[in-house]
Amino acid sequence: MQLECDISAALGYTSQPQISRVLSEKWFQNNGYCLSCDNDRLLHTAANTKACDFVCQTCNENYELKTFRTRPARTLVDGAYAALLSRIQSESVPTLMLLERNDDWKIQGLTAIHHLFLTPEVIEKRKPLSLTARRAGWVGCNIRLDLIAQDAQIQVVHNQSPNNPQIVRERFQRFNRLKDIEPSSRGWATLTLRIVRSLNQQEFSLNEIYTKEGAFASIYPKNNNIRAKVRQQLQVLRDLGYLEFCGRGSYRLLI
C-alpha cells in the first residue's frame, strides 16, 4: 500500500475542495480494498452518486470516503438528516472511510466505520437553515462518532502504517452478523456492546451492566424498563456469538 498521494492527479484544478476530492479518491481507488470480502479492487462510482464513492463488484459493499487533516473524535458532519435515516432503514447506508492526511498529502490514517453500527441513535439532527439561507429550511445531521462502539471503528492504516488486510477483514466481517437484526432494533444491540466494552473486562456480571443504566437511559429516555431491555440485548449478543452466558448472571465477551 502506497502512503502518499499522487499530486499530479490534481493538475489543472484550482479549487481546494476539488483538489482534496481528486487526490483522496485517486489514492483510495489505487489502494483501497473491500473489507466485506476478498476483493482487492473497488469500483469508483459515477460522479454525483449520492452517499457512495466506491462499490465492491463482488459483494456490493458500498463505501463513502471522507478526508481530513485531523479526523474528528466526536462529531462528523454529514448531509441531509432525512436522507441518511432513510438509507439506514433501507440498509443502503455505506461504510464510512475516514482518511487522514498531512499537508504534504501523505496518509496518516484510514479508519472504517462499519455501516451496521450507523443506527438512528447515533444520528444527530441539526437545526434547519435560516429563512435567509439559499436552502432555507434544509435539515442536516451529524454522526456522533463518540456514540459508536470502538469495535465498529476499524483501523486500516494507523500511525502511517497499514494494518494486515486479513486482520482488518476479520474485524470487519465478524460484525456482519448484525444484519440479522432489524435496523429499527440494531441500535440497542450495538449500544449494549459499547457498554459491555466500557467495562474493560472479558467477564462481567449482569449487576455490573445495571450500573450503566443511566447510559442506556440517556439514549432511550422514553424506555421505562431499561433492565429488561438490557437482558434481552445480552441474549441477542449471545445468540450472535459475541457473548457467552456463564450462568448466575455472569457473561464472557468472546470478541
Side-chain angles (χ1 to χ4, degrees):
M1 178 181 286
Q2 296 293 323
L3 293 179
E4 189 169 355
C5 293
D6 179 9
I7 304 297
S8 67
L11 291 176
Y13 291 91
T14 57
S15 165
Q16 285 303 316
Q18 285 184 320
I19 292 172
S20 178
R21 176 184 59 79
V22 169
L23 293 182
S24 59
E25 289 183 356
K26 184 66 173 179
W27 178 86
F28 191 77
Q29 185 175 18
N30 291 337
N31 295 277
Y33 55 87
C34 186
L35 307 184
S36 194
C37 74
D38 293 334
N39 186 6
D40 290 329
R41 304 295 295 180
L42 296 173
L43 178 68
H44 200 315
T45 57
N48 299 318
T49 301
K50 289 186 177 180
C52 179
D53 299 312
F54 294 87
V55 62
C56 174
Q57 290 183 291
T58 300
C59 70
N60 207 37
E61 186 76 32
N62 293 333
Y63 299 89
E64 183 177 1
L65 183 65
K66 295 180 179 291
T67 306
F68 312 90
R69 283 188 175 87
T70 302
R71 182 172 74 91
R74 181 181 184 275
T75 300
L76 176 63
V77 177
D78 203 66
Y81 175 74
L84 181 54
L85 286 186
S86 177
R87 288 194 294 273
I88 290 172
Q89 295 300 333
S90 65
E91 304 204 66
S92 61
V93 66
T95 288
L96 301 178
M97 304 300 296
L98 310 185
L99 180 66
E100 300 173 75
R101 54 89 173 182
N102 64 15
D103 291 338
D104 296 323
W105 280 96
K106 293 181 179 179
I107 305 304
Q108 309 296 295
L110 178 65
T111 304
I113 307 295
H114 200 303
H115 65 96
L116 292 175
F117 286 78
L118 295 175
T119 65
E121 292 77 12
V122 304
I123 308 304
E124 184 177 69
K125 188 176 183 179
R126 299 207 305 266
K127 292 181 179 180
L129 295 183
S130 68
L131 295 178
T132 58
R134 183 171 59 85
R135 293 188 293 172
W138 182 84
V139 178
C141 68
N142 299 320
I143 298 174
R144 288 287 303 276
L145 297 176
D146 59 326
L147 298 182
I148 298 176
Q150 284 300 311
D151 292 275
Q153 304 187 40
I154 301 163
Q155 293 175 331
V156 182
V157 177
H158 180 60
N159 287 339
Q160 306 176 50
S161 179
N163 287 328
N164 186 316
Q166 181 179 347
I167 294 175
V168 170
R169 283 169 166 149
E170 287 174 356
R171 289 175 179 171
F172 185 92
Q173 293 169 18
R174 69 186 178 185
F175 291 109
N176 285 346
R177 282 171 277 175
L178 290 170
K179 291 179 181 177
D180 295 340
I181 306 175
E182 290 293 323
S184 57
S185 303
R186 197 175 291 146
W188 268 103
T190 55
L191 172 61
T192 303
L193 179 60
R194 180 168 69 87
I195 298 299
V196 168
R197 283 290 193 198
S198 74
L199 298 175
N200 293 318
Q201 54 197 50
Q202 289 300 113
E203 296 187 12
F204 62 94
S205 69
L206 188 57
N207 285 333
E208 287 176 305
I209 291 294
Y210 285 163
T211 65
K212 304 293 184 177
E213 190 171 352
F216 289 97
S218 67
I219 304 298
Y220 297 100
K222 295 182 180 180
N223 189 293
N224 297 317
N225 203 356
I226 294 288
R227 293 192 174 192
K229 191 68 175 181
V230 168
R231 291 194 298 272
Q232 178 196 64
Q233 294 308 307
L234 291 174
Q235 291 175 10
V236 168
L237 293 175
R238 179 202 63 189
D239 293 344
L240 290 174
Y242 300 145
L243 297 179
E244 177 186 4
F245 178 58
C246 302
R248 297 187 176 182
S250 296
Y251 294 83
R252 180 182 294 113
L253 190 60
L254 299 177
I255 54 175

